[in-house]
C-alpha cells in the first residue's frame, strides 16, 4: 500500500475518506463474508481502552458482568410483539446443526432482552432478588446489506446492560444513570460533545417504553447515535412472566432497562476528530499517546537510540502509553507520516543535536512544535495531553455550534439538514415524521433534555408542536 499517497480530502468525499483512513491506519479490514469486518490490533486496542473505561464505571455503579448464549429460540423473540417486528428483517437464523434440521430454528442474538428475561423469570422470586444489575460484553448479529466498517456491520461487538427493578422510579433512574455514563465516556474520554435526549416513538428501540440517546455530530454534519439507554417498562416482564413478591406481599411485574454501546463509538471518534492527514485520537483513549522517533546517521545511531530508550522508560514510568519507533528500514519522514495517519497525539523527535542540547522536539497532531528539555518531558507531557484533550473537545464543540440552526420554515429546515443539525418544532405525529424523512432524508435524532421549554408549530405540517421544545433533526449514519 502506498502510504505516501494522500488520503482523499474530507471536503471532496467524506465517505471515501472514512473508508480509506480505516484501512490505511490499520484499524480494520473487510472480512470474507459480506457485512463482516476484521478489527486489526490498532483498532482493537482502541476498543479495549473504551471497554476499560466503561467496565470500570459499570462496576462502580454496582453492575456485574455475565454471559448469556449466542443462540436464542425463535419463539422467545416472538413473545414481545414490537421486539420481533423490529428485529425480524435483520435476523440471522440457524435452521440446521449437527447435520440435521432443528426442531425449532434458533436466532443468532440481535440483542439479549429475551434470553435474559427468560432466565430472570427463574431467578427472581422476591423483592430480595432485586435489583438485578447485569452487563454483558459480546457480539450480536444484525444482517446488513451495505457495510460500513464500525457503523454498519452484520456482526458487531458491544456491551449490553440489562437491569430489573422493583419500581418504575428506580428503573427510570437507572436509564438516566447509564446514559450519563455514556455521556461521560463521550465527553471526558473521547472528547465528543454529545447531545443527550429522548428518542421519538418512531425512533425508539423495538420493545421499549422509551429510549434515551447520546447524539454526536460528524465532520460532514451528519449525526451518529453513539449510545442508547432504554426503559422497557413491564413489556418484557409480561412477555416472560418475570414477577416478584413485593414487601407488601403483592405479586408484581419487574421493571426492566437495557442499555448498549457498540464499536460504532469508534466511528464517532474517527469522524468527529479526523482530518485530511488521517485520524486524531483523543489522548485518554489513544492506544499510543506519544511516539518517540529517533533521528540518526550511522555514526550517531547508538547514542541516539540509547537516549530514546531512556526517554521511553521515563515516560512509561510517568504512566504514559508510549511507543519507540526504532525501525531501521524507514526514514523519519515516513514514520512522521505514518503516526500522523494513525492519529497519535504527540510525536517526540530526537536527533544528535537535540541530544547535545539536552532537548527534544515535541510535535502535536493538532499542529505546532516546541522544544522541551529531556528532563522535563515526563512532567510536561501529561499537561500537554490534558490540554490536547480540551482543545480537541473545544474544536468539536465549535464545529457543532457552527453547524446547528434553529429553523422555523421547511425551506430553512432543508438547508439546515444539508449542512448539519436543525432544531425545529415537530407535531410528534409518526406519519409527519416519516414524510420528513422521505422528503429530506433527515430523521429526528432526539428531543434534547437540556433545551429551553418553547412552544411552536410543526416545521412541516403547521400543527401545534409536541414535546414543549425543539427537536434535533439531522441526516444520520
Ligand atoms: Zn407535523
Amino acid at each position: 500500500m502506498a502510504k505516501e499517497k494522500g488520503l482523499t480530502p474530507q471536503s471532496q468525499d467524506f465517505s471515501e475518506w472514512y473508508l480509506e483512513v480505516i484501512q490505511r491506519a490499520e484499524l480494520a479490514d473487510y472480512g470474507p463474508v459480506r457485512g463482516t469486518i476484521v478489527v486489526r490490533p490498532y483498532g482493537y486496542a482502541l476498543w479495549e481502552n473504551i471497554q476499560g473505561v466503561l467496565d470500570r464505571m459499570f462496576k462502580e455503579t454496582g453492575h456485574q458482568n455475565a454471559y448469556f448464549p449466542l443462540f436464542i429460540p425463535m419463539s422467545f423473540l416472538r413473545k414481545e410483539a414490537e421486539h420481533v417486528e423490529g428485529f425480524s428483517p435483520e435476523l440471522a437464523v440457524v435452521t440446521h446443526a449437527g447435520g440435521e434440521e432443528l426442531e425449532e430454528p434458533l436466532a443468532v442474538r440481535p440483542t439479549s432482552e429475551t434470553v435474559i428475561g427468560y432466565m430472570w423469570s427463574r431467578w427472581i422470586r422476591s423483592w430480595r432478588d432485586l435489583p438485578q444489575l447485569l452487563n454483558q460484553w459480546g457480539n450480536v448479529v444484525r444482517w446488513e446489506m451495505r457495510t460500513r466498517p464500525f457503523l454498519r456491520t452484520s456482526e458487531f461487538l458491544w456491551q449490553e446492560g440489562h437491569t430489573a427493578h422493583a419500581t418504575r422510579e428506580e428503573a427510570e433512574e437507572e436509564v438516566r444513570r447509564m446514559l450519563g455514563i455514556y455521556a461521560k465516556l463521550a465527553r471526558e474520554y473521547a472528547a465528543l460533545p454529545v447531545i443527550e435526549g429522548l428518542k421519538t416513538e418512531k425512533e425508539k428501540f423495538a420493545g421499549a417504553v422509551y429510549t434515551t440517546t447520546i447524539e454526536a455530530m460528524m465532520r460532514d454534519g451528519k449525526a451518529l447515535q453513539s449510545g442508547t439507554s432504554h426503559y422497557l417498562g413491564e413489556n418484557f416482564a409480561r412477555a416472560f412472566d418475570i414477577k416478584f413478591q413485593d414487601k407488601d406481599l403483592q405479586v408484581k411485574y419487574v421493571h426492566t432497562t437495557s442499555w448498549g454501546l457498540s464499536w460504532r463509538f469508534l466511528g464517532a471518534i474517527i469522524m468527529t476528530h479526523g482530518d485530511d492527514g488521517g485520524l486524531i485520537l483523543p489522548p485518554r483513549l489513544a492506544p499510543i499517546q506519544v511516539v518517540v522517533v529517533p533521528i540518526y546517521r550511522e555514526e550517531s545511531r547508538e547514542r541516539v537510540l540509547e537516549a530514546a530508550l531512556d526517554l521511553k522508560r521515563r515516560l512509561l514510568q510517568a504512566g504514559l502509553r508510549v511507543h519507540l519507533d526504532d525501525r531501521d528500514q524507514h526514514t523519519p519522514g515516513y514514520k512522521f507520516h505514518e503516526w500522523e495517519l494513525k492519529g497519535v497525539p504527540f510525536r517526540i523527535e530526537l536527533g544528535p543535536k537535540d541530544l547535545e542540547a539536552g532537548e527534544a522536539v515535541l510535535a502535536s497532531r493538532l499542529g505546532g512544535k516546541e522544544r522541551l528539555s529531556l528532563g522535563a518531558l515526563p512532567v510536561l507531557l501529561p499537561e500537554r495531553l490534558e490540554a490536547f484533550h480540551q482543545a480537541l473537545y473545544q474544536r468539536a464543540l465549535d464545529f457543532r455550534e457552527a453547524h446547528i440552526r434553529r429553523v422555523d420554515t421547511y425551506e430553512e429546515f432543508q438547508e439546515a439538514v444539508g449542512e448539519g443539525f436543525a432544531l425545529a418544532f415537530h407535531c410528534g405525529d409518526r406519519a409527519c415524521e416519516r414524510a420528513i424523512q422521505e422528503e429530506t432524508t433527515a430523521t429526528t435524532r432526539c428531543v434534547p433534555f437540556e433545551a429551553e421549554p418553547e412552544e411552536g408549530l410543526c416545521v412541516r405540517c403547521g400543527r401545534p408542536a409536541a414535546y414543549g421544545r425543539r427537536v434535533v433533526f439531522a441526516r444520520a449514519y
Side-chain angles (χ1 to χ4, degrees):
M1 211 175 305
K3 290 233 168 69
E4 287 72 17
K5 188 176 157 280
L7 294 164
T8 298
Q10 289 186 338
S11 57
Q12 191 184 313
D13 188 342
F14 191 80
S15 180
E16 186 55 32
W17 171 87
Y18 179 75
L19 299 177
E20 282 178 15
V21 78
I22 282 174
Q23 290 255 336
R24 287 167 64 174
E26 298 181 341
L27 292 174
D29 205 346
Y30 299 98
V33 174
R34 195 166 77 162
T36 63
I37 59 166
V38 176
V39 182
R40 302 185 67 179
Y42 193 57
Y44 202 79
L46 185 57
W47 175 242
E48 280 180 315
N49 288 344
I50 291 167
Q51 275 190 306
V53 171
L54 277 183
D55 202 63
R56 179 172 53 74
M57 291 198 280
F58 293 162
K59 285 171 182 164
E60 281 169 1
T61 45
H63 303 84
Q64 290 180 304
N65 287 330
Y67 191 79
F68 294 83
L70 179 66
F71 302 114
I72 298 179
M74 274 304 290
S75 57
F76 278 29
L77 289 166
R78 291 194 197 101
K79 285 188 185 198
E80 214 293 327
E82 273 188 25
H83 193 63
V84 70
E85 194 194 320
F87 282 103
S88 280
E90 35 189 52
L91 280 185
V93 180
V94 180
T95 55
H96 290 73
E100 285 175 25
E101 186 169 349
L102 297 173
E103 258 175 55
E104 182 181 358
L106 303 174
V108 182
R109 66 179 169 216
T111 179
S112 302
E113 280 76 7
T114 55
V115 64
I116 293 176
Y118 171 78
M119 297 313 296
W120 273 341
S121 70
R122 303 170 149 234
W123 296 343
I124 299 170
R125 289 282 171 265
S126 133
W127 61 272
R128 291 180 193 83
D129 302 321
L130 296 171
Q132 292 277 327
L133 305 173
L134 299 179
N135 176 61
Q136 164 167 283
W137 288 101
N139 57 344
V140 285
V141 167
R142 295 178 189 174
W143 215 249
E144 294 283 357
M145 284 305 153
R146 284 174 37 240
T147 315
R148 200 185 285 260
F150 300 122
L151 305 179
R152 205 169 282 283
T153 51
S154 294
E155 178 191 1
F156 60 87
L157 290 184
W158 75 340
Q159 60 69 217
E160 48 179 318
H162 296 270
T163 68
H165 306 263
T167 65
R168 176 181 183 122
E169 293 68 37
E170 209 187 285
E172 293 200 79
E173 233 176 74
E174 168 79 3
V175 169
R176 288 296 290 268
R177 179 182 305 119
M178 301 326 283
L179 190 76
I181 281 178
Y182 292 155
K184 189 178 165 84
L185 170 76
R187 295 184 185 123
E188 295 180 20
Y189 292 87
L192 302 176
V194 289
I195 299 175
E196 291 164 78
L198 184 72
K199 285 284 183 193
T200 60
E201 278 292 303
K202 177 178 168 290
E203 297 289 324
K204 74 177 185 186
F205 175 75
V209 174
Y210 63 77
T211 289
T212 64
T213 179
I214 53 170
E215 299 284 328
M217 184 191 282
M218 307 299 100
R219 286 190 80 75
D220 61 351
K222 285 195 193 171
L224 184 74
Q225 175 182 304
S226 306
T228 47
S229 180
H230 320 287
Y231 173 58
L232 307 174
E234 296 178 357
N235 293 351
F236 286 87
R238 286 177 188 275
F240 287 89
D241 205 31
I242 318 169
K243 285 188 273 198
F244 70 103
Q245 189 174 50
D246 207 348
K247 287 176 186 168
D248 60 10
L249 302 181
Q250 300 285 309
V251 174
K252 300 171 184 173
Y253 285 109
V254 298
H255 292 256
T256 65
T257 82
S258 67
W259 25 277
L261 184 140
S262 78
W263 69 23
R264 279 191 130 223
F265 198 80
L266 268 67
I269 291 173
I270 298 163
M271 290 194 289
T272 300
H273 298 315
D275 65 12
D276 288 347
L279 302 173
I280 300 181
L281 296 183
R284 291 175 189 167
L285 296 175
I288 299 172
Q289 295 172 312
V290 54
V291 61
V292 180
V293 180
I295 301 164
Y296 50 79
R297 291 221 170 83
E298 196 46 46
E299 72 277 8
S300 53
R301 184 176 181 277
E302 205 173 317
R303 238 175 340 130
V304 172
L305 280 181
E306 198 180 309
L309 198 61
D310 178 61
L311 178 63
K312 177 191 167 180
R313 260 189 234 115
R314 289 188 302 121
L315 294 174
L316 281 174
Q317 275 168 9
L320 300 167
R321 293 191 288 276
V322 53
H323 175 71
L324 169 61
D325 189 352
D326 57 2
R327 292 175 298 175
D328 265 333
Q329 68 271 37
H330 294 303
T331 63
Y334 178 97
K335 293 176 183 178
F336 292 177
H337 186 77
E338 180 173 328
W339 296 114
E340 180 178 295
L341 181 69
K342 289 191 161 192
V344 174
F346 286 100
R347 172 178 83 222
I348 296 174
E349 306 168 10
L350 185 62
K353 282 197 181 130
D354 304 309
L355 203 50
E356 274 167 37
E359 291 178 338
V361 172
L362 184 70
S364 166
R365 181 62 182 82
L366 287 174
K369 283 188 179 191
E370 56 179 334
R371 299 191 67 86
L372 293 170
S373 94
L374 283 170
L377 268 170
V379 180
L380 292 176
L381 255 177
E383 291 170 17
R384 296 294 188 277
L385 286 163
E386 175 59 29
F388 190 102
H389 172 90
Q390 298 302 342
L392 202 57
Y393 182 83
Q394 193 58 47
R395 183 170 162 270
L397 186 61
D398 291 345
F399 181 86
R400 189 182 81 192
E401 293 307 308
H403 294 85
I404 190 162
R405 270 174 66 190
R406 292 160 64 92
V407 297
D408 293 307
T409 69
Y410 204 42
E411 207 181 349
E412 289 173 328
F413 177 92
Q414 279 163 299
E415 268 177 34
V417 296
E419 294 160 9
F421 291 4
L423 290 172
F425 290 114
H426 191 255
C427 59
D429 177 55
R430 253 183 214 241
C432 177
E433 207 174 319
R434 205 171 296 119
I436 290 177
Q437 184 173 4
E438 279 159 17
E439 289 157 9
T440 70
T441 69
T443 50
T444 54
R445 303 318 305 157
C446 69
V447 182
F449 292 138
E450 282 185 24
E452 284 167 48
E454 271 184 277
E455 297 300 332
L457 301 174
C458 176
V459 72
R460 184 178 177 278
C461 71
R463 283 178 286 178
Y467 315 113
R469 60 192 59 200
R470 286 170 191 267
V471 178
V472 178
F473 284 87
R475 294 186 176 133
Y477 283 100

